[in-house]
Each structure stands twice: as C-alpha cells, then as structure tokens.
Amino acid sequence: MKKITVENLVRRFSLKVVAGENQLQKVITQSRVHRPGLEFVGHFDFFPTERVQILGKKEITYLNKISEEERKIRIGNIVQYHPPCFILTAGEDLTYLTHHCNEQGIPLLMTKQPETTSDFITRLDAYLMKELAPEIAVHGVCVNVSGIGILLRGNSGVGKSETAHTLIRRGHRLVADDIVVLKKLSPQTILGTHDEKTKEFLALRSIGLLNVVRIYGRRAFQDESRIALDIHLTKWQKDDLNNELDQKPQYIEYMGVKVPSLEIQLQPGRDVAGLIEAAANNWYLRQQGYSAAEEFMSRIEADISGSSNQ
C-alpha cells in the first residue's frame, strides 16, 4: 500500500505546525479527508479514523460555544482514535485543541493563507488521490496531442521517441519518455506521468538526450495527462493492414481500467505523427457521438434508396 507522511502535507501546502512536531512522520494511507461533525456529538459508528481530519469554521464555532468541560469530553472522544493529523482552516490557534494533540501525540496543523475550508479540502483531496493512487510503470512514451493523452507502446527501437519528437515539433506536448508511470485515479481514469528522473527529457537514437523545454519552450512539456488512447507502434507488415471502413473497438487494460487501443505500422516515409493526430481527433469526435463510417454508410443507403425510387 502506498503511503505519505504528515510532513509531506506540511511541505506541499505550507502548513504551520501547531502541535506534535515530533510526530510528522505519521503515515497517511487514505486518499480522502474527513470533517468530524457527527463525531463531536457522539456518533462514531462510521468514523474514518485513518483519514486526515479537517476542522473548519463550523466545527470551531461549535467547539467554542459549548462549555469547557463538555468540550474536553468531545475532543477527547475523537483524539483517542489517533487520526494521522488535524488541520485547522479557520485561522484560530486553539489552545485547548493544542493541549489534547500534544498529550496524544497527534500533529495539529494550520493553513497559513486565508482560504475557505471547501477549497482547501478540494486541493488536499486531489493531492492525496494522486499521491496514493495505485500505480504501475510501463515502457513507452506518453504525449498529449491536442489535449488528448496518448500512450505510445512498441518494441525498443521501433521509433516511439522519434515519433514523439515529431509531435512536439508540431505543437503537441511530451509527458514522459521511456518510463511512463500510470496511476489509477478511478475505475474509469488512468493518469500518465513521468518518474521525476526523466522529467522533460526525450532520448533520441543517434542524437542523445534532449531537454524539450530548453529546446522548444515550456509548452513542449506537460506534467501529466489522462490516458485516452493506447497506440501500439509496430514494424510494417504489408499483408497485415486492416482496411475496413470502421475499425472494431479494441481495448487494453491497465489495473482494471479499459483504454481504447489501436495499432499503427511504421514504414519509412509514412506520416506516423499525422496518423496519431488523426487518431486523437477521431477519438474526440467519437466522444461527441460522431462516426465518419456511420455517416458514410447513411449516404450510401440514401443513394441506394433514391435510385430504387426512380
């Protein structure tokens, strides 16, 4: 199981450490946060104790209104479950909460910049979801073509990186070369990214390692992209090309998520980058409900129907 620490949150979101400074290595394993509301009034049947606990204006207002004795009981009932940490977004340094957290060894953090609780939760949930998502590494190249994430696969030396270079020169973006990290964000979503070491780098045979940002500018690189298409680049096989008007949908699975897949054969002089652009645009049109093959067949049927009525 993947995990991050409370210290990772402190650095990523520039949080102030109010209590539990020696407990910042506590592990976070859940990808969503929780606002304890029912728990403050005694309902713990569904308390997600392994989640980061967020205290916003509503929670703090409630705690400030009740008596000191009752507040001690309410907070004590929660801290005994030892969640990874508490984060205050209401801009108040609460002495009574600091005492409980120090006593139980729970980090208490606070946002430094003014921000609504809902906005902070949205940012934090997104970060945790990406960081804790199941992931695998595959050999290939990831590019973003006209806003569409594409995973290029194929045997070593087939021309994946060279094809990506051509796409970059046409205004598209590199995401990762050689090693592509795939993250499962949901049952329908796979995110492609790099492994940090290869960030912005593209390796071309006979040329060497290129930094695409230094050569082509910031727009040549994108940190991550949702994978919409999987394209397998293969060597040219003359008798193996499929010339049907409408290709039957093919899929490949990554961590249980199905991704549309197709094969493109390479041959000297063949505009493979152009074919990839066409595949990306055709995928987009299909998402809008349009099929060129269906329109073509409807024209044929209309022509046949017109001829038979004459």
Side-chain angles (χ1 to χ4, degrees), residues 49-61:
T49 59
E50 295 181 352
R51 293 186 186 180
V52 172
Q53 305 296 313
I54 304 294
L55 301 180
K57 188 174 182 179
K58 289 189 296 184
E59 292 79 17
I60 297 305
T61 300

Side-chain angles (χ1 to χ4, degrees), residues 68-174:
E68 181 178 349
E69 182 178 350
E70 185 177 1
R71 186 166 57 225
K72 181 177 180 180
I73 295 173
R74 300 297 186 192
I75 296 175
N77 288 339
I78 291 180
V79 297
Q80 68 176 337
Y81 288 96
H82 291 90
C85 66
F86 289 97
I87 301 180
L88 297 171
T89 63
E92 292 187 50
D93 193 342
L94 305 179
T95 304
Y96 55 80
L97 191 57
T98 303
H99 170 76
H100 280 278
C101 288
N102 277 327
E103 191 175 67
Q104 294 293 330
I106 302 172
L108 175 61
L109 315 174
M110 180 187 296
T111 56
K112 293 181 180 180
Q113 301 298 327
E115 185 174 13
T116 64
T117 303
S118 58
D119 286 345
F120 178 75
I121 288 176
T122 298
R123 291 198 302 126
L124 182 54
D125 272 345
Y127 169 77
L128 291 174
M129 184 176 294
K130 287 181 182 178
E131 292 299 312
L132 296 174
E135 66 178 46
I136 59 173
V138 298
H139 176 64
V141 178
C142 184
V143 289
N144 185 282
V145 177
S146 300
I148 297 167
I150 297 177
L151 178 63
L152 301 178
R153 295 183 298 110
N155 293 334
S156 181
V158 77
K160 299 183 297 296
S161 297
E162 289 82 354
T163 300
H165 180 252
T166 302
L167 288 166
I168 292 168
R169 292 188 63 209
R170 292 186 180 187
H172 305 295
R173 298 178 176 181
L174 174 71

Side-chain angles (χ1 to χ4, degrees), residues 214-280:
R214 295 295 183 94
I215 295 178
Y216 299 111
R218 174 52 55 187
R219 289 185 297 178
F221 176 76
Q222 185 167 315
D223 200 54
E224 58 190 27
S225 183
R226 178 190 173 188
I227 302 299
L229 271 177
D230 173 276
I231 296 181
H232 189 198
L233 302 180
T234 61
K235 292 183 178 180
W236 179 267
Q237 298 179 44
K238 182 178 179 180
D239 299 324
D240 196 35
L241 284 180
N242 193 329
N243 291 316
E244 293 181 5
L245 292 179
D246 193 18
Q247 300 289 327
K248 294 181 180 179
Q250 301 291 326
Y251 297 91
I252 187 171
E253 283 195 15
Y254 295 107
M255 294 176 284
V257 179
K258 287 186 175 181
V259 177
S261 181
L262 57 90
E263 176 185 342
I264 294 179
Q265 294 187 10
L266 283 71
Q267 185 185 47
R270 197 174 194 212
D271 184 8
V272 178
L275 292 175
I276 291 173
E277 289 176 321

Side-chain angles (χ1 to χ4, degrees), residues 176-193:
D177 181 43
D178 190 34
I179 299 297
V180 181
V181 177
L182 300 180
K183 297 190 174 191
K184 181 180 179 180
L185 299 188
S186 77
Q188 297 82 32
T189 306
I190 290 289
L191 188 75
T193 187

